[in-house]
Amino acid sequence: MKIHKTADVQTRKIGKNTFVWQYTIILEGAYIGKNCNINAHCFIENDVTIGDNVTIKCGNYIWDGITMESDVFIGPNVSFTNDLNPRSKFHNKKFLQTNIKQGASIGAGATILPGLTIGKYSMIGAGSVVTKSIPNYSLWYGTPAIFKAFICKCGTKINETLVCTNCGTKYKQISNFEIEPND
């Protein structure tokens, strides 16, 4: 574990080989897995769980109620929210839970409304506004974000054959907006 001297890390629950860079604040209750990279100028609250191999780029604020599974990528300046009805000085309420599933990627400057699930290996385009839960293996972007394509675990768009042209993984369609590997 490497923690930059200007970081304020209050939790002891950080896994091996995790890097925390300049001017990042991590509160006491947060859990961060191994092999993570938490870039500069980030803030992580207490009721936050971050899995293994997660990259969080600069300028992100991870609020109470957010869980990230392993292998997640968060681009710079993503705006997470945890309260649909915010008011100043109303502190004693339960915040909505947002779940970022394994392998999901969220592009720079995206906004994620509270209480949503971002599916496994899904991808959110830069600058998108996500207003509803995102299915596994799907690409969404825009304002508001809309479905654009199916996407492979390796990050390649999947065409109508449902076979990845990059890695050869075969998929089957399970709903209008979701596929899964065809094992």
Side-chain angles (χ1 to χ4, degrees), residues 8-146:
D8 179 3
V9 178
Q10 299 167 19
T11 185
R12 299 204 183 279
K13 298 174 275 189
I14 297 181
K16 287 176 61 174
N17 298 319
T18 288
F19 292 97
V20 178
W21 296 102
Q22 296 92 332
Y23 309 109
T24 289
I25 299 169
I26 303 174
L27 297 184
E28 185 176 17
Y31 172 86
I32 299 173
K34 64 184 183 211
N35 299 315
C36 293
N37 191 13
I38 313 297
N39 283 209
H41 300 279
C42 291
F43 177 77
I44 300 174
E45 276 194 309
N46 284 297
D47 182 22
V48 171
T49 300
I50 297 172
D52 298 335
N53 307 308
V54 171
T55 296
I56 300 175
K57 298 306 252 179
C58 298
N60 281 291
Y61 307 118
I62 314 299
W63 306 116
D64 284 339
I66 295 175
T67 298
M68 295 178 192
E69 294 182 359
S70 294
D71 307 310
V72 166
F73 175 86
I74 306 297
N77 301 305
V78 171
S79 293
F80 289 98
T81 59
N82 66 357
D83 191 346
L84 280 176
N85 302 299
R87 292 286 187 252
S88 181
K89 307 298 180 192
F90 284 82
H91 300 293
N92 296 327
K93 63 178 171 179
K94 180 78 173 144
F95 294 109
L96 294 172
Q97 302 295 300
T98 299
N99 297 298
I100 315 300
K101 297 294 189 177
Q102 181 177 358
S105 293
I106 302 175
T111 299
I112 311 299
L113 293 186
L116 304 180
T117 297
I118 308 300
K120 287 191 326 184
Y121 300 102
S122 63
M123 188 174 288
I124 308 300
S128 297
V129 176
V130 179
T131 61
K132 58 186 170 186
S133 290
I134 302 300
N136 299 336
Y137 301 100
S138 61
L139 170 64
W140 293 67
Y141 55 88
T143 306
I146 59 173

Side-chain angles (χ1 to χ4, degrees), residues 149-171 179:
F150 293 122
I151 194 159
C152 182
K153 180 178 179 178
C154 75
T156 302
K157 286 183 187 177
I158 302 295
N159 63 26
E160 62 280 349
T161 68
L162 298 182
V163 177
C164 179
T165 58
N166 183 50
C167 70
T169 302
K170 296 177 182 177
Y171 290 86
I179 58 175

